Amino acid sequence: MGAVSAFSLNRTIAGLALGALLLTGCGSSLDENGGNGSGDGRSDGTVKIGLLVPLSGVYAPIGEDLRDGFQLYLDEHDGKLGGRDVELVTADEGEGPQTGVPAAQKLVTQDRVTAVAGVVNSATALGLRDFFDESEKPLLIANAGADDITGTRKSDYVWRTSFSNGKVSAALGPTVAEEAEGSVYLIAADYAAGKEMVAGFRKTFEAAGGKVAGEKYTPFGTTQDFQPYLSAIRKSGAKAVFAFYAGAEAVSFVKQYKQFGLAGRTPLYGTGFLTEGGVLAAQGTAAVGVKTSLHYSTQLDSARNKEFVDAYTEKAGKSPTVYAVQGYDTAGVLDTALAEASGDSGKALVEALRGIGSINSPRGTWKFDADHNAEQTYYLREVRAEAGTAVNTVLGELG
Ligand code: PHB
């Protein structure tokens, strides 16, 4: 099912579930915890938070990193947010809205969480927007970059601690226009995020004088053999490539790009998800030379980042990723909001989110903009082999 039709279906599901939520009299009677059933905490002061991340499908490694980052923050803060013990209810987003939307609805209507954090896939985020808006529950999106979520479909109840697709790719356009010695081929996973990543890139790339050699969207989650697409790239005569892939698809694409003989001849650019964390470890030296834009690298030279990299590596047994940072920062944002809010109704919590100010993150300082999106610095990164290990070296700040 395409993102658009999945979205209309999920609007219907969201509507039905909201109806059920209202019919249960949520908010008007005491629940099993002695609360009022609106997720307003529990009589023992514990706050229940829902964490919705993919634990299955192509984005499962992203979900795990996000969860590990969130958990690290909790571990560093005695398992508390806003001074209260946290009961974390984790649910599997799966591969998109078909699984992610009902899982989120269960967190709100059955588990009665105070807020939901997570969501990796843009199509899931788009499918959830109305449900959270209408049920007046805070949703803190810790990855999914769907542009409209903090644009035309902005909601008082939906906040994003990560990025918007169009912005992270737009940051790279002028650099590629300057560096590419001819036209550039655009290729991405065929769903909301892929389309928006390409559109954002194309806008600033063309504005800076860049020319497009061709554009292709590959079936999301099912493409394993990129050979036919790599042949088309070669045939197009493109002098460079811009790509959006993440998770398992990023591993296959970059490895096959090298095997096909394009690496080293036709420079590969992308958003940083193409070479991030476990993905980069699996690509190994096949990724050397790939240049990307992202709001994080393990190589960022700040005391805050070094402290985070050490703590995360010790706990998780692997290097952190942008997803881990986003999970960590989401827990931090909830910590401040819960501490500041007068009560933990959705209304009180979003009021507190409005007043949050700057966040001192391993990625650098960032804040929410007026549309509830993360306003932050994007970095130009290049994969280099350091002592035999591929890392995302930071070349500088973008735009
Ligand atoms: C998205 O669907 O918005 C998405 C997924 C994975 C990424 C980046 C964006 O790494």
Side-chain angles (χ1 to χ4, degrees), residues 59 62 120-123 143-146 163 165 191 193 197 244 246 273 323:
Y59 286 165
I62 298 180
V120 164
N121 185 308
S122 277
N143 185 69
F163 58 90
N165 295 325
Y191 79 105
M197 296 274 182
F244 165 73
F273 316 109
Y323 311 110

